[in-house]
Amino acid sequence: MNEELYTPQEVADILRIKKSTVYEMIKRGEFQCKKIGRQFRIGKADLDTYLNKKQDNNSSKEEGKTTEEGSANTQSAFGQVSSSVKRRTVPADYDGLEELDVMKGKNIIICGQDILLEALCNHLAARLTETSIFRSYKGSYNGLYDLYQDKVDVATVHLWDGDTGEYNKEYVRRMLPGTLYRRIHLVCRTQGFYVRKDNPKEIKGFADLTREDVSMVNREKGSGTRILLDEHLRSLAINKAQINGYNREVTSHLACAGAVARGSADVSLGIERVSKEMAGLAFIPIQSESYDLVVKEEAYRTFWFQSIMEILNSREFQTEVEHMSGYDRTDMGKILE
């Protein structure tokens, strides 16, 4: 079985420290870092060992001396990646890298944060050995904007419209004006509340977020989960200013779940899969969401994107997704529009 791996930024989010501090910890030997291609990863077992040791050795006062919430992009790696695979990370504030212009026609940038995309990139890189596969870890709204601006080749979205009750269709149409595009279904996921085990605050719905004894941690603007929250608050006429922790932002489901598990927040929103990977959490489902892939028509007709379609419809990839908890792969690869 492949070991679950974290990026340095994701570890920084969990520990609530700077990413540079994580690199210093690697140099000091506090983490046994694995090098995958040109990127570093830290194993879940090593991180768990560190957290357990910290809990045993530090007082609660010392644990309070953390520096900051992680604010850059985060991503869990899926499995082992061959060092020969040409994959790189595009920063969250990416606005056009000169080196990519030089490599035009020989690189692909896929935008999105889900671990499923790591598996997809692995399969794609294995097929397109002369192509560099890049990842940009922006959320759905910002990813669509970058697709419109030709900064990425593929965007992934889970954007709920509170007026229509639909996912993605209206957002894609309005954010890609005058553009021919294709929207392809990836998976369905369940969004809900992360709460501590046994739900001690008895949180049941969005109205509970306004209680004085409840604090939350929120996702960043532009993420599909943040838009889901804001749309529900709008439809229920709930004042955001009444929510303790609404402006406290982190940039991944894992960071949200970690904050609740540590007790630094009572509740957060995220996908079900992450709640199953972290001890001490319970999950209260809210709704099923459609996680889709969006590409411009001219890119859809290219060889490399047809390779993506072949991967999505392959038994090998779908079997791999079946073993990743929290996903419904029904209709994976179906062209929606």
Side-chain angles (χ1 to χ4, degrees):
M1 182 179 293
N2 290 325
E3 180 184 11
E4 184 175 355
L5 303 172
Y6 300 138
T7 65
Q9 180 61 59
E10 194 162 26
V11 172
D13 276 349
I14 294 171
L15 300 181
R16 300 179 68 192
I17 60 178
K18 295 180 180 180
K19 184 168 68 171
S20 59
T21 303
V22 175
Y23 284 117
E24 289 298 321
M25 294 168 73
I26 292 172
K27 291 179 182 179
R28 293 195 299 265
E30 295 181 47
F31 291 124
Q32 296 300 313
C33 189
K34 300 171 176 60
K35 191 169 184 181
I36 299 178
R38 298 168 67 177
Q39 301 181 25
F40 292 102
R41 296 290 187 268
I42 296 168
K44 184 177 185 299
D46 289 333
L47 180 58
D48 288 343
T49 298
Y50 174 82
L51 290 172
N52 291 333
K53 183 178 179 180
K54 179 180 177 182
Q55 185 175 9
D56 292 339
N57 295 339
N58 294 344
S59 67
S60 59
K61 181 178 180 180
E62 290 171 334
E63 291 175 347
K65 295 179 180 179
T66 51
T67 57
E68 66 177 19
E69 288 290 347
S71 60
N73 32 284
T74 61
Q75 167 69 17
S76 288
F78 180 82
Q80 298 291 336
V81 182
S82 168
S83 60
S84 64
V85 173
K86 299 177 181 178
R87 296 202 295 100
R88 297 176 61 187
T89 299
V90 177
D93 59 354
Y94 164 75
D95 60 359
L97 298 178
E98 182 178 350
E99 63 181 286
L100 296 189
D101 292 334
V102 175
M103 298 167 59
K104 188 175 182 181
K106 295 186 179 180
N107 66 86
I108 299 165
I109 305 175
I110 298 177
C111 188
Q113 300 172 323
D114 197 279
I115 194 174
L116 173 67
L117 301 179
E118 192 76 12
L120 177 61
C121 285
N122 291 347
H123 282 264
L124 187 60
R127 288 181 176 229
L128 308 180
T129 56
E130 299 302 317
T131 302
S132 293
I133 312 299
F134 291 76
R135 290 287 312 282
S136 175
Y137 297 126
K138 292 186 178 182
S140 296
Y141 188 93
N142 296 329
L144 266 183
Y145 179 78
D146 279 1
L147 181 64
Y148 179 65
Q149 296 288 339
D150 293 318
K151 295 178 181 179
V152 301
D153 299 290
V154 180
T156 53
V157 294
H158 58 114
L159 296 166
W160 186 64
D161 186 328
D163 292 329
T164 65
E166 286 187 297
Y167 269 92
N168 303 324
K169 183 176 181 178
E170 289 302 312
Y171 285 93
V172 175
R173 182 177 66 84
R174 292 184 180 277
M175 292 187 67
L176 298 179
T179 303
L180 296 176
Y181 59 84
R182 298 289 182 115
R183 180 164 61 96
I184 296 97
H185 182 63
L186 290 177
V187 292
C188 283
R189 311 182 303 188
T190 301
Q191 283 272 3
F193 292 120
Y194 298 141
V195 296
R196 286 194 290 282
K197 188 177 180 180
D198 299 325
N199 193 10
K201 294 294 180 74
E202 297 184 344
I203 294 167
K204 299 177 181 178
F206 290 96
D208 292 312
L209 301 181
T210 64
R211 286 164 37 192
E212 292 184 359
D213 65 327
V214 171
S215 66
M216 75 169 296
V217 61
N218 206 352
R219 285 297 304 277
E220 79 282 7
K221 288 183 177 179
S223 67
T225 300
R226 173 63 169 267
I227 290 173
L228 173 67
L229 170 66
D230 288 345
E231 283 288 272
H232 275 287
L233 296 181
R234 178 179 66 86
S235 65
L236 296 170
I238 294 176
N239 186 352
K240 302 170 185 177
Q242 294 179 296
I243 300 176
N244 180 23
Y246 177 85
N247 292 320
R248 179 187 172 193
E249 298 181 353
V250 295
T251 55
S252 73
H253 296 297
L254 184 66
C256 285
V260 176
R262 292 193 306 271
S264 63
D266 298 308
V267 62
S268 188
L269 267 72
I271 58 174
E272 183 178 17
R273 178 186 61 78
V274 174
S275 69
K276 295 180 178 180
E277 298 176 353
M278 191 168 294
L281 282 184
F283 183 77
I284 303 172
I286 297 173
Q287 65 192 55
S288 176
E289 66 175 12
S290 182
Y291 189 55
D292 300 336
L293 182 154
V294 183
V295 63
K296 292 184 178 180
E297 180 68 22
E298 58 265 32
Y300 173 79
R301 298 181 180 279
T302 62
F303 171 78
W304 64 263
F305 191 81
Q306 289 308 306
S307 294
I308 289 180
M309 293 297 293
E310 290 173 5
I311 292 168
L312 295 180
N313 288 286
S314 70
R315 183 59 190 169
E316 179 185 6
F317 184 73
Q318 294 196 12
T319 299
E320 192 169 339
V321 173
E322 285 177 354
H323 289 88
M324 301 167 68
S325 64
Y327 299 111
D328 178 357
R329 67 169 184 81
T330 304
D331 292 331
M332 176 182 282
K334 179 180 179 180
I335 300 174
L336 302 175
E337 56 181 326

